[in-house]
Amino acid sequence: MVNKNEVHEIIIEDIGTEGQGIGHVDGEAVFVKDTLPGDTAIVKIIKAKKNMAYGRLEEIIKPSVNRVVPRCEVAKSCGGCTLQHMDYNAQLSYKWNKVRELLKRVGGISEPERIMEFVTPDGEVHFPQEYTGEEDVHHSPERLAYGLEEPYHYRNKMQFPVGLDKNGKAVLGFYAGRTHSIIPLTDCCIGHEVNRAVIKSIKEYIDKYKVSVYDEEKHTGLIRHVLTRVGFHTNELMVCLVINGDELPYADKLYDILTVNIEKYNKNSDDADIDFRSFMININNEKTNRILGFSSKVLRGEAYITDYIGDIVFRISPESFFQVNPEMTGKLYGKALEYAALKGGEKVWDMYCGIGTISLFLSQKAGRAYGVEVIPQAIEDAGNNAKLNGIDNTEFFVGKAEEVVPKLYAEDRVKYSADVVVVDPPRKGCDEKLLDTIREMAPDRIVYVSCDPATLARDIRYLTEHGYLLKKAAVYDQFSHGVHVETVCLLSKKV
Ligand code: SAH
């Protein structure tokens, strides 16, 4: 039994779902933030539960061979990137291995590496030949030394909280992991580089015009958050200030400051010029942790920016859900389309369809695409996106997939049949009721897009025990320096 306040020397062996290191004391798992597999660390137990404990890193006695100095100065305190202190190649090895181990252990797939491929952000595809051998990849990053440039600045959406520091001074930055104290920031190395110019402008504006900032406890003050979105394929920029009030004072002045700083940024950057398209406010007068309020207003330009995933165009407003790494998402959805192997005329279902990205992708090659999604606003976006792209062979349904699909299929087994089913569920994976209906629909192929390999493996086991074979799996490093990994799998009906 591990007790609170004890100090232990622990060898870290694994990484938890939130990026913390995991080691053991007397067979009990101890979760320690800021540690990596291979670290030997002095850890103070801060919380002890039945069979597990949380520890605070006191000192690293022997660092892991994969430990690196993070590029970002605030990597340790910021709750964003959880793996920046890990060598990038080791991050890739870790993600690859995680999917392989889960498919094997939980999914019941023997030698999954035979059917796996790995796609890194440079678009390169790596095949299992590079991973043969059974040595522990955590400790041998050189085996995966791809020599690729580390992916930074890939995120298209940022939300910076604005508030007061301990001394009552205005501060703009990031929440420290799991808390609401704001760490000041001048840059974020996974967000688009233009954010630097935006952060600088907002600070300048707040200081110069003495604009009040939000005090979470007292629920007073104006500026709560700054939301930025960039269209990575269109270079359009949206800046939206979330305010506790109805009007932004000196808005024209802020617009001018932003314009000047963005122009400067464009001049000094080798990348394509940023086009400041949309300057907005979002009104959130409630005492709530929710970032956005329910109404937005355009101050200058448009109420949206546009961007592409693959060759499908999307209109993105402050509230819209949109994939945060559209470049990798495009590649991943391209793989889903390849796995779907459509010849034309097929009926496809896109379960958990969000704003319909996959449905729209598939509809270009299919006869008809149905999408189902629980959030009404997302379904509205999906319909609008279909119109925007001149696509008329899609139909979207609002509701829980596990309720809507069984009902529709029971009503009309011909109309709502499926040649191919795609699922892209949230982390908890697919509801078993939905999997049962999919079995009844008996599509030739199931394409499983997953953001959590543990639930993916669980669902793969279920499907392989009920008439399907796992044919292929492709792993994507879509959230570099974070702990999450995306996988797309192809399952075929056994003949
Ligand atoms: N492919 C989508 C993203 C899918 S993310 C896109 O590109 O937009 C998973 C989606 O499942 C989310 O939009 C979430 O709202 C939705 N969801 C969660 N539980 C659901 C359920 N029980 N039934 C249907 N959709 C659900």
Side-chain angles (χ1 to χ4, degrees), residues 129-178:
Q129 291 88 291
E130 298 172 41
Y131 305 90
T132 51
E134 283 304 313
E135 67 264 55
D136 181 357
V137 254
H138 289 328
H139 303 110
S140 53
E142 55 289 347
R143 280 199 324 119
L144 285 177
Y146 300 127
L148 62 103
E149 212 179 299
E150 292 195 21
Y152 288 105
H153 302 296
Y154 61 81
R155 248 188 97 97
N156 60 5
K157 171 184 165 185
M158 300 306 289
Q159 300 178 117
F160 302 108
V162 183
L164 296 165
D165 69 9
K166 282 192 214 97
N167 307 318
K169 255 193 89 205
V171 39
L172 183 161
F174 247 116
Y175 290 128
R178 285 175 176 273

Side-chain angles (χ1 to χ4, degrees), residues 4-18:
K4 192 171 164 175
N5 292 329
E6 283 173 6
V7 176
H8 292 276
E9 181 179 318
I10 300 179
I11 296 172
I12 304 299
E13 298 143 25
D14 203 355
I15 298 178
T17 47
E18 286 164 47

Side-chain angles (χ1 to χ4, degrees), residues 321 323 333 350 352-358 372-375 378 399-402 424-426 428:
F321 169 83
Q323 294 280 350
Y333 289 176
D350 176 12
Y352 309 92
C353 72
I355 58 167
T357 322
I358 297 177
V372 55
E373 156 68 43
V374 74
I375 296 177
K400 290 187 176 168
E402 63 272 23
D424 183 5
K428 67 172 196 263

Side-chain angles (χ1 to χ4, degrees), residues 55-102:
R56 187 177 62 219
L57 173 64
E58 300 281 296
E59 191 193 339
I60 290 181
I61 305 180
K62 188 174 147 282
S64 160
V65 292
N66 295 327
R67 189 169 267 285
V68 294
V69 178
R71 172 185 293 207
C72 177
E73 282 172 14
V74 298
K76 197 169 163 190
S77 41
C78 169
C81 304
T82 41
L83 292 185
Q84 249 199 57
H85 55 305
M86 188 177 196
D87 171 82
Y88 182 60
N89 286 306
Q91 290 180 27
L92 295 176
S93 309
Y94 166 71
K95 289 177 184 181
W96 162 268
N97 245 13
K98 174 114 191 153
V99 177
R100 179 177 69 174
E101 286 309 306
L102 284 165

Side-chain angles (χ1 to χ4, degrees), residues 284-321:
N284 185 357
N285 291 334
E286 281 173 48
K287 192 166 175 8
T288 165
N289 276 341
R290 209 186 46 247
I291 295 178
L292 290 180
F294 297 109
S295 71
S296 298
K297 217 154 78 185
V298 184
L299 299 179
R300 286 283 184 103
E302 312 282 354
Y304 55 84
I305 57 164
T306 54
D307 201 18
Y308 290 83
I309 294 180
D311 49 8
I312 309 269
V313 64
F314 294 88
R315 258 187 201 169
I316 309 152
S317 57
E319 300 88 359
S320 302
F321 169 83

